[in-house]
Amino acid sequence: MKPLFFVVSLLFSWQLLATESTSVESQAKTETKAAEDKVEPVKTTAPVTAIKPTESDLQDGPAVITLTPENAEQSTPTDIEPTQPIVVDPYKNNMIEVVDTSKVLGTETAKPADTPKTQQEKEVAVAQAEQAVIQAKEALTLKQQVKAKQSRESLAVIEQLIKAYNARNIDAFISMYDENVEFYAFPNELLFKGKEKLIARYGIVFKKLKCIKSSPIKRIVHGNIVIDHELSETCSTDPNVVDKRTELISSYQVENGKITKVLFFR
């Protein structure tokens, strides 16, 4: 009975040792695999070739195999992507480099004018200056000449009108107006139109008043437009006693020697 028990115990111990050995080996393989997974493989960017050792190398020492790239002259890997794209301009060889030689306005140094040195040069310079003055005077354009002439003619018409007004001469006064003259109150209120209504209005005023006097305070003449700031004085009963004074601003438009439009500023 004892020998049988001894054999059973021995078998049971051997099986237990085998199980522990298998467990230890499996755990070692698992740790080795995990360590290998953590190690990043080394990437080679170029194919490598094995250099065979010579006979002397085999005799003198242990064999050593060295891995080298096929193209030793290539300094940078060909499969490494750059951080920025490489742009190749096909027209670069045909482009001409333009150099900006322009200058900023005002940076040029002003050159001093040449001063005449001899008496003859001075006389020439004086003659040129006098000629420049003559040309400047003659530079008055035709339009400006017409405008100046028109201003003189318009002023003459208004002066004759004021003279006839102060004399209460209705015929001379009416003759300075166009047949279709228009009277306005500022800005565009039409008061009346035509000589007939003008005669009816001013004819009564001239007969009723004992004296009328218009004196320009300030006058502006521009072409066919005359603007008068005037002082009007009237006598209602005694020709020697002024009983009403009024300041008026009137604008007259003159065409072909006649007043065509009057604008009163109240």
Side-chain angles (χ1 to χ4, degrees), residues 92-107:
K92 186 174 182 180
N93 295 332
N94 298 327
M95 293 177 63
I96 301 175
E97 184 179 359
V98 180
V99 180
D100 185 8
T101 58
S102 60
K103 297 181 179 180
V104 179
L105 183 62
T107 57

Side-chain angles (χ1 to χ4, degrees), residues 4 14 21 25 42 51 53 62 64 68 92 106 117 132 144 166 189-190 206 229 234 258:
L4 181 59
W14 178 82
S21 176
E25 183 178 358
V42 179
I51 302 177
V64 179
T68 58
K92 186 174 182 180
K117 298 179 181 180
Q144 290 173 324
N166 291 339
E189 178 186 355
L190 180 62
F206 286 172
H229 177 198
T234 58
K258 301 293 182 179

Side-chain angles (χ1 to χ4, degrees), residues 103-118:
K103 297 181 179 180
V104 179
L105 183 62
T107 57
E108 298 84 354
T109 304
K111 297 181 180 180
D114 296 334
T115 55
K117 298 179 181 180
T118 63

Side-chain angles (χ1 to χ4, degrees), residues 15-82:
Q15 187 177 3
L16 181 61
L17 292 175
T19 302
E20 290 179 355
S21 176
T22 303
S23 177
V24 172
E25 183 178 358
S26 176
Q27 184 177 0
K29 289 182 179 181
T30 303
E31 292 177 355
T32 304
K33 186 177 180 181
E36 290 177 354
D37 293 338
K38 293 182 180 180
V39 177
E40 295 181 0
V42 179
K43 296 181 179 180
T44 57
T45 59
V48 296
T49 57
I51 302 177
K52 297 181 180 180
T54 60
E55 295 180 357
S56 59
D57 295 333
L58 294 174
Q59 294 176 359
D60 296 337
V64 179
I65 299 176
T66 306
L67 300 179
T68 58
E70 289 182 351
N71 300 325
E73 296 179 355
Q74 186 175 0
S75 58
T76 58
T78 57
D79 60 343
I80 296 179
E81 296 182 358

Side-chain angles (χ1 to χ4, degrees), residues 178-243:
D178 185 77
E179 292 292 334
N180 299 316
V181 62
E182 297 177 348
F183 282 77
Y184 288 87
F186 181 83
N188 55 2
E189 178 186 355
L190 180 62
L191 300 176
F192 61 90
K193 180 180 179 180
K195 270 190 175 183
E196 292 183 0
K197 294 184 178 181
L198 179 64
I199 294 172
R201 175 170 294 198
Y202 281 90
I204 296 176
V205 172
F206 286 172
K207 290 181 180 180
K208 182 178 180 180
L209 296 177
K210 301 300 181 180
C211 75
I212 299 176
K213 185 179 181 181
S214 177
S215 306
I217 299 174
K218 187 175 182 180
R219 176 172 288 166
I220 299 174
V221 183
H222 182 70
N224 66 332
I225 302 296
V226 179
I227 301 175
D228 264 359
H229 177 198
E230 56 186 292
L231 175 64
S232 177
E233 299 176 335
T234 58
C235 307
S236 57
T237 56
D238 188 346
N240 297 322
V241 178
V242 175
D243 52 16

